[in-house]
């Protein structure tokens, strides 16, 4: 597709060019290399408002950006997840950083950004680590595009979001929340975002630098972002506004997440923030005041709420077969033990049909870790489940005996089987 068309319908991605150029100015050599590959200039990455920005504005934005980038990475590493999903990834060198640590990296962004970012970033990554790095153009509000991009990802996932929610209205934020819950329900893991309290962080960074002028400078900064992105910013209910009752605004943001089956843990920024190079651009007293102010700010670590419903299947157990079941997020989770054969398959089918009549099901996830054998009768039950599940049937933990049966019958190409 024509790059010019992509840029015209998605102008927000241009802010990512400003980000990588600013990150390069903090001494990040890989960011500088990317900016050079993209032929970025100061004039290209600025706009009419930012070109007139005061030193206070420039320093505050720089410190804010670097803090966000480094701290999100630190929290993602501490999550223990072996797959990082960077949404949006922009043009930063995070892919290289995580690949060097043996962590799979999925950079997801608008197609216009990916078309430029991938060829600029991949040459910086060692050849033996490139298999860990994946780039894909997506629409964050389109669940199927996200699922397709992550179809080969091994969970649990750590999804990071920086500077995205401020450009979304409530409808778009709701769609994003539903999509992230879907991904975390399927893969496990968490969503780390700096966005909900981004205004607080900006204020707490700006205040020591600008003193009494901080509100004036904040208004100018919003104009800078608005001018470059060509969209309305900061309107989402998930962006906690410091105006009015801030505590109530925080509760409302949490309620919005809960309405989409998510819960948040506030990660106090000062506890995770590494060394920030750009703090050297302000006085030592201002830098220390900023560090102290970060005790008041937090990033959010978001996970699905426990909405699982246990299913009583005790009456189906016998000496050769046992099943445990629950329903969570429109997925039927089964743990099969023993043999699913001519004698026990009817019981499994009866359980599935009873649950399907009582719950909305989109998928079936089956833990086969203790499944010793499955006959053609059992396979027919799995096929019935697949036909009744829009998102299919996924098997995990299968042993060599069951794997061979699936291969011989062709079911290994019909069902989703985890390695």
């Amino acid at each position: 597709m024509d790059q010019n068309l992509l840029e015209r319908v998605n102008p927000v991605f241009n802010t990512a060019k400003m980000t990588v150029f600013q990150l390069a100015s903090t001494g990040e050599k890989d960011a500088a290399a990317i900016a050079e590959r993209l032929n970025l200039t100061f004039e290209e990455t600025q706009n009419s408002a930012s070109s007139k920005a005061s030193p206070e504005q420039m320093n505050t934005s720089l410190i804010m950006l670097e803090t966000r980038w480094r701290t999100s990475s630190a929290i993602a590493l501490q999550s223990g997840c072996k797959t990082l999903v960077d949404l949006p990834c922009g043009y930063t060198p995070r892919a290289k950083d995580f690949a060097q640590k043996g962590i799979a990296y999925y950079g997801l962004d608008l197609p216009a950004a990916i078309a430029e970012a991938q060829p600029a970033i991949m040459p910086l990554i060692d050849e033996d680590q490139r298999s860990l790095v994946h780039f894909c153009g997506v629409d964050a509000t389109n669940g199927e595009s996200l699922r397709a991009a992550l179809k080969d990802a091994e969970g649990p996932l750590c999804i990071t979001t920086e500077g995205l929610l401020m450009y979304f209205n409530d409808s778009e934020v709701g769609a994003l929340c539903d999509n992230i819950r879907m991904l975390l329900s399927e893969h496990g893991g968490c969503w780390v975002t700096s966005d909900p309290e981004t205004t607080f962080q900006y204020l707490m960074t700006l205040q020591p630098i600008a003193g009494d002028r901080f509100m004036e400078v904040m208004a100018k900064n919003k104009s800078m972002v608005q001018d470059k992105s060509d969209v309305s910013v900061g309107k989402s209910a998930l962006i906690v506004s410091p105006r009015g009752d801030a505590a109530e605004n925080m509760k409302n943001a949490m309620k919005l997440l809960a309405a989409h089956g998510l819960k948040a843990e506030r990660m106090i920024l000062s506890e995770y923030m590494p060394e920030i190079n750009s703090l050297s651009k302000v006085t030592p007293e201002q830098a220390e005041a900023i560090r102290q102010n970060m005790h008041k700010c937090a990033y959010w670590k978001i996970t699905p709420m426990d909405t699982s419903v246990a299913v009583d299947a005790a009456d189906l157990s016998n000496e050769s077969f046992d099943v445990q079941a629950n329903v969570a997020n429109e997925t039927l989770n089964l743990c099969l033990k023993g043999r699913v054969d001519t004698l026990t398959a009817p019981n499994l089918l009866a359980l599935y049909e009873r649950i399907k009549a009582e719950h909305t099901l989109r998928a079936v996830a089956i833990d086969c870790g203790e499944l010793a054998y499955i006959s053609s009768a059992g396979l027919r039950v799995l096929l019935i489940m697949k036909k009744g599940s829009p998102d299919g049937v996924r098997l995990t933990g299968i042993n060599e005996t069951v794997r061979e049966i699936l291969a011989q019958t062709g079911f290994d190409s019909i069902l989703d089987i985890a390695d």
Side-chain angles (χ1 to χ4, degrees), residues 76-84 98 103-104 155-159 188-190:
L77 287 171
Q78 286 197 18
S79 74
C81 297
K82 294 304 181 182
T83 298
L84 176 74
F98 278 76
I103 297 174
L157 314 174
C158 180
I159 303 172
C190 61

Side-chain angles (χ1 to χ4, degrees), residues 207-237:
Q207 194 171 36
I209 298 175
D212 294 339
R213 296 181 57 244
F214 77 92
M215 289 301 293
E216 174 190 344
V217 179
M218 186 180 72
K220 288 184 178 179
N221 185 71
K222 182 175 180 179
S223 175
M224 288 165 52
V225 175
Q226 188 88 41
D227 182 47
K228 190 66 175 176
S229 66
D230 195 33
V231 297
S232 180
V233 298
K235 299 297 185 182
S236 165

